Amino acid sequence: MTDTQCHPDLQRFWQLLAEGWCAGQPLLTALRSIQKTLPLEPMGRVVGLLADEIEQGHSLSAAMKTHPSVFGKAHICLIEGGELLGIVDRVLLLILEFTWRCSTCGNLQLPGANKNRTGGP
């Protein structure tokens, strides 16, 4: 990982989640599929934990809040807003767009990631 890029597994997570959601896939189904697609570390395990929390009745944003070393506050707030407004599909596309444009500006995190990255707000 470099100071100007976030981990490709986290970028792939957002891509797969947006694709699944926009294709009408139920959230839990999409998460279980992503869990199988991504390597166990660093993201596959976290996605599995998200899916477990969704099965227990938590919202996606609430599940993401339990993993602050992986999901930045901006993303959690965006997802939560999308849930409240019923526009998670649009929010996922927005997150994906910003991730592709400038991954460090998206405040993306991963366990063990360099906490002193530059290039973001």
Side-chain angles (χ1 to χ4, degrees), residues 25-40:
Q25 200 173 36
L27 177 58
L28 186 57
T29 302
L31 289 173
R32 291 296 182 203
S33 176
I34 294 167
Q35 177 186 8
K36 293 175 188 174
T37 302
L38 294 177
L40 185 61

Side-chain angles (χ1 to χ4, degrees), residues 21-22 60 79 81-93:
W21 191 291
C22 291
L60 179 58
I79 293 295
E83 291 166 343
L84 292 171
L85 294 171
I87 57 167
V88 174
D89 55 339
R90 291 181 180 175
V91 170
L92 286 171
L93 293 174

Side-chain angles (χ1 to χ4, degrees):
M1 182 190 274
T2 68
D3 285 344
T4 58
Q5 282 191 319
C6 290
H7 198 283
D9 288 350
L10 190 54
Q11 291 174 333
R12 185 79 172 131
F13 165 77
W14 288 114
Q15 178 184 358
L16 293 170
L17 186 57
E19 288 173 0
W21 191 291
C22 291
Q25 200 173 36
L27 177 58
L28 186 57
T29 302
L31 289 173
R32 291 296 182 203
S33 176
I34 294 167
Q35 177 186 8
K36 293 175 188 174
T37 302
L38 294 177
L40 185 61
E41 292 299 331
M43 280 303 295
R45 180 185 57 77
V46 172
V47 175
L49 293 171
L50 288 177
D52 292 345
E53 293 175 52
I54 299 299
E55 281 183 321
Q56 295 171 13
H58 297 281
S59 66
L60 179 58
S61 61
M64 290 169 60
K65 286 178 187 177
T66 65
H67 304 283
S69 65
V70 177
F71 299 105
K73 184 176 179 179
H75 290 101
I76 294 168
C77 289
L78 284 167
I79 293 295
E80 186 174 32
E83 291 166 343
L84 292 171
L85 294 171
I87 57 167
V88 174
D89 55 339
R90 291 181 180 175
V91 170
L92 286 171
L93 293 174
L94 182 65
I95 291 171
L96 188 57
E97 177 186 345
F98 281 104
T99 299
W100 281 341
R101 252 199 276 170
C102 181
S103 56
T104 57
C105 292
N107 190 29
L108 298 179
Q109 301 172 359
L110 258 182
N114 181 358
K115 300 296 182 194
N116 296 317
R117 290 184 291 187
T118 59

